Amino acid sequence: DGSLRFENTCSLRNPRRGGGGSPPPSTDLSLSCSLPKPSPTTGTLDLETVMMADRVHPVQPEPATGLIPDPWESPRSSASSQSILPKPVRQPGSYVIQVPRDLVLRVPREGNASRAKAYARRRGCCFLVFAWLGALLFLLAVVADILYLVFRPRVPQYSIDALSIASFNLCAASVSPAFDATVRAENPNKKVGIFYGDGSDVTVASDGVTLCTGAWPAFYQSPGNVTVFVAALKGSAIRLSSAARQALVTAETQRQVPLEIDVKVPVRIKFGAVTSWTITVKLKCDVTVTGLTENAKIVFKNCRVKVKLFKFLGL
């Protein structure tokens, strides 16, 4: 149509890249465009070509968050370039740090320093007391073992040989019975003596109702000795319920009156020239008699013995 045609060419180049060899680690790119030349026929520029040239814009640079990797860059060069990146900055805020309990050192405040020292002294005193107590118990245990191996102590044996009952009138409103219990005590040990001390307690009951009380006599029983003694027991103005009274009447009619005899007596054991501490001996006897009279006969008896070595410990 009589107008001239121009050719517009643009290319993206890296001006720092040299010819030959590996390219330098750079990301600076430039846009090179050549304007169209006028046609030799008309010497004028084509309007459409000029408008297309104006629409070519330069490439926007990447944000400064990192480097753009170069395809011609070696891995080693990339690693070195990444090493110069700025380190992330820790944002301000609150953080929770957990520390093991055993690594926490408890330091008392200045106002509680005296209390802490007093507490430490008390702990030290308590430790010494418990240490001495443990040593004493250990020594006692060793001595007890030696005495047992040498003397071979055995538990004494007891039995109720006879039981005389007086002033037991079931028809009265209240009763004041008197019991005379004949007790046989046997010491089976050949090298051990027994001291029976004061403060004993003897109780006779029927179906849970206490009828009379008394004491065990104090005496010394030599090794291998058998001692028979009478314990006098008395009751005063004991009121029986109708059920308890009827049960005693029925049992006496059947000539089988059950009675329970409980004994607690303090004793000391003599091992040669050594005497032990006070030991509590408990005796419990189940006795059945033919009646509540002076001539009552024992038709059944069973006695059990229990020894408490350490009264203060309940053993």
Side-chain angles (χ1 to χ4, degrees):
D1 54 359
S3 61
L4 296 177
R5 301 290 182 179
F6 295 91
E7 295 181 357
N8 182 22
T9 60
C10 295
S11 62
L12 187 65
R13 299 182 304 172
N14 189 346
R16 295 186 182 183
R17 180 176 302 160
S22 59
S26 174
T27 57
D28 297 335
L29 302 178
S30 63
L31 183 65
S32 176
C33 298
S34 59
L35 296 176
K37 297 180 180 181
S39 176
T41 56
T42 61
T44 60
L45 297 176
D46 191 358
L47 181 60
E48 181 181 0
T49 305
V50 174
M51 291 179 63
M52 291 183 63
D54 292 339
R55 292 178 184 176
V56 178
H57 300 283
V59 178
Q60 295 295 336
E62 294 291 335
T65 57
L67 299 178
I68 301 176
D70 196 347
W72 291 276
E73 187 177 5
S74 62
R76 182 176 300 177
S77 301
S78 176
S80 61
S81 63
Q82 292 180 3
S83 63
I84 63 175
L85 289 176
K87 295 183 179 180
V89 180
R90 187 180 298 274
Q91 298 297 330
S94 300
Y95 301 93
V96 178
I97 301 176
Q98 296 183 356
V99 181
R101 185 184 298 272
D102 54 352
L103 297 181
V104 178
L105 300 179
R106 298 183 58 186
V107 179
R109 292 178 293 181
E110 295 182 0
N112 297 335
S114 59
R115 295 183 180 179
K117 292 181 179 179
Y119 177 71
R121 286 195 298 268
R122 286 196 299 268
R123 289 183 59 186
C125 294
C126 292
F127 175 77
L128 291 178
V129 169
F130 281 109
W132 279 104
L133 183 59
L136 180 60
L137 292 178
F138 177 76
L139 181 61
L140 291 177
V142 172
V143 172
D145 290 340
I146 295 175
L147 293 177
Y148 178 80
L149 294 176
V150 174
F151 295 96
R152 298 288 181 176
R154 298 170 59 186
V155 178
Q157 300 176 3
Y158 307 97
S159 65
I160 306 297
D161 290 347
L163 192 61
S164 178
I165 305 171
S167 304
F168 206 121
N169 186 7
L170 294 176
C171 297
S174 61
V175 294
S176 300
F179 285 66
D180 290 335
T182 302
V183 182
R184 183 177 185 271
E186 179 182 355
N187 183 7
N189 299 283
K190 297 180 180 181
K191 299 180 181 180
V192 177
I194 303 175
F195 288 97
Y196 293 95
D198 298 327
S200 60
D201 183 21
V202 183
T203 303
V204 178
S206 176
D207 197 15
V209 179
T210 301
L211 301 178
C212 58
T213 58
W216 188 293
F219 63 96
Y220 171 73
Q221 190 174 22
S222 59
N225 177 263
V226 177
T227 303
V228 179
F229 60 90
V230 178
L233 313 174
K234 293 182 179 181
S236 177
I238 299 175
R239 293 184 176 272
L240 300 175
S241 62
S242 58
R245 189 185 305 272
Q246 185 61 36
L248 287 175
V249 171
T250 303
E252 191 173 15
T253 302
Q254 298 175 356
R255 299 182 61 83
Q256 290 186 353
V257 181
L259 299 173
E260 298 93 22
I261 302 177
D262 293 329
V263 180
K264 292 182 181 179
V265 55
V267 302
R268 290 187 302 165
I269 309 300
K270 183 180 179 182
F271 300 94
V274 179
T275 303
S276 71
W277 58 91
T278 301
I279 300 172
T280 301
V281 175
K282 291 184 177 182
L283 174 64
K284 185 174 183 179
C285 297
D286 296 329
V287 180
T288 302
V289 296
T290 57
L292 299 175
T293 61
E294 296 181 358
N295 299 323
K297 303 295 182 181
I298 297 178
V299 296
F300 174 80
K301 58 182 178 180
N302 181 26
C303 294
R304 300 177 298 275
V305 182
K306 183 178 180 181
V307 180
K308 296 185 68 173
L309 296 177
F310 302 99
K311 184 178 180 181
F312 60 92
L313 295 178
L315 301 177

